[in-house]
Amino acid sequence: MNRNRKAGGFALGDSRHGRVWAGAGWFLAVAVGCSQPPQATVQGTVSLAGNPLTAGTIVFEADGRSYTGAIGADGRYALRYLGQPGVLPGDYRIAVVPPAAEVVADPKTTELKAVNPVNPRDYPERYRLPSTSGITKTVPEGESTIDIDLPKP
């Protein structure tokens, strides 16, 4: 009788299962270690008909990967992935998304109201999804400045 076995299961001391767990751990360590680090950085300005947008998010999307950048008050952005700067080089579809409205309470009346820092009409609907924007850009290796000027619909 194997003392490492438990009723209906196995213990890690069982050599067959121990090898499986060790192999799975090795595979996971190699897979995580081999993930591609970002090889490019992208920054730029987002504008509508030549006027910088003052808030929102720009999205670069390709093959299930999405990189985003917050649009600052001056229209500038820098792409990030999981909070870190950088992207993989390649071809991307682009979207520009308006900021969400905030719900705030009026301190005098406690009435709730939506406050949007920008006019959502400044972000035409077609540009809000990578699949409908029609905007594509190629990100090369290294540092890039990619300015996006949305034409007024």
Side-chain angles (χ1 to χ4, degrees):
M1 176 173 177
N2 184 344
R3 291 184 184 179
N4 290 330
R5 285 199 183 271
K6 296 184 179 179
F10 65 89
L12 287 178
D14 183 329
S15 63
R16 289 179 299 144
H17 292 98
R19 283 191 300 265
V20 169
W21 284 107
W26 178 85
F27 176 78
L28 182 60
V30 169
V32 169
C34 291
S35 63
Q36 292 181 319
Q39 302 164 355
T41 57
V42 177
Q43 63 180 3
T45 302
V46 183
S47 56
L48 176 67
N51 298 312
L53 295 176
T54 59
T57 302
I58 187 164
V59 179
F60 279 53
E61 185 272 330
D63 301 325
R65 295 185 315 262
S66 292
Y67 300 96
T68 60
I71 300 170
D74 59 355
R76 299 196 53 73
Y77 74 92
L79 290 182
R80 302 179 77 71
Y81 179 70
L82 298 176
Q84 300 298 315
V87 302
L88 291 173
D91 296 324
Y92 290 89
R93 297 181 301 177
I94 297 172
V96 177
V97 183
E102 295 180 50
V103 177
V104 296
D106 184 324
K108 296 177 184 171
T109 65
T110 66
E111 180 180 312
L112 296 178
K113 58 183 171 180
V115 176
N116 200 330
V118 297
N119 185 346
R121 289 182 296 225
D122 288 342
Y123 299 77
E125 190 77 33
R126 74 173 280 201
Y127 301 123
R128 297 179 187 188
L129 294 173
S131 59
T132 62
S133 74
I135 303 169
T136 59
K137 296 290 180 181
T138 298
V139 174
E141 287 188 20
E143 295 182 17
S144 297
T145 298
I146 299 177
D147 295 329
I148 307 293
D149 187 28
L150 306 173
K152 211 165 197 142

